[in-house]
Amino acid sequence: QRKNPFSSDERLAARPVHSSHGDPSYGRPPEGSKTEQRGRDAHSHVGREVEELCGIIRSTGEKGEDGHVSLTFRQLFETYVTISNKVVGILLRARKHGLVHFEGEMLWQGKDDDVIITLL
């Protein structure tokens, strides 16, 4: 309706036009909006959970000959599940940021209990 020359609705004219695909603000909430703040808060929360996960790996795992701390998925799951039921999602985020390494795309309880997780 914003582009409709026959529309006289002032509310539509006052709203910002959506940015185009090449625009740096494309796909982002308006600056200073509550949505932007909620996104920042969520990002911060996940960051703290990743730090906590790495701390648990460091304190629970064993240091190998290469100097890296490792443990099995089963060990991590049994320790971390009491803190959060999102252990796999947090592990994936930690791997995305280059903090941990493990084989496979996804880890499943039972099937992947013996997969080694290494803190980098």
Side-chain angles (χ1 to χ4, degrees), residues 20-40:
S20 63
H21 189 65
D23 189 352
S25 66
Y26 179 77
R28 301 215 178 261
E31 199 169 317
S33 68
K34 289 182 180 181
T35 302
E36 181 190 38
Q37 184 60 45
R38 283 190 295 268
R40 275 194 255 132

Side-chain angles (χ1 to χ4, degrees), residues 31-103:
E31 199 169 317
S33 68
K34 289 182 180 181
T35 302
E36 181 190 38
Q37 184 60 45
R38 283 190 295 268
R40 275 194 255 132
D41 292 347
H43 183 75
S44 176
H45 176 74
V46 170
R48 284 191 303 274
E49 287 212 26
V50 168
E51 288 176 20
E52 185 177 7
L53 174 80
C54 291
I56 289 170
I57 294 171
R58 193 174 296 110
S59 65
T60 307
E62 296 179 17
K63 191 175 247 185
E65 294 176 10
D66 60 358
H68 293 295
V69 177
S70 299
L71 75 166
T72 65
F73 179 59
R74 178 186 303 128
Q75 291 170 311
L76 178 62
F77 193 86
E78 287 171 354
T79 304
Y80 196 78
V81 75
T82 60
I83 299 163
S84 171
N85 60 355
K86 302 177 293 273
V87 65
V88 175
I90 300 299
L91 260 176
L92 292 173
R93 179 62 65 104
R95 179 170 67 178
K96 179 181 177 183
H97 290 287
L99 301 172
V100 299
H101 171 75
F102 56 89
E103 294 296 322

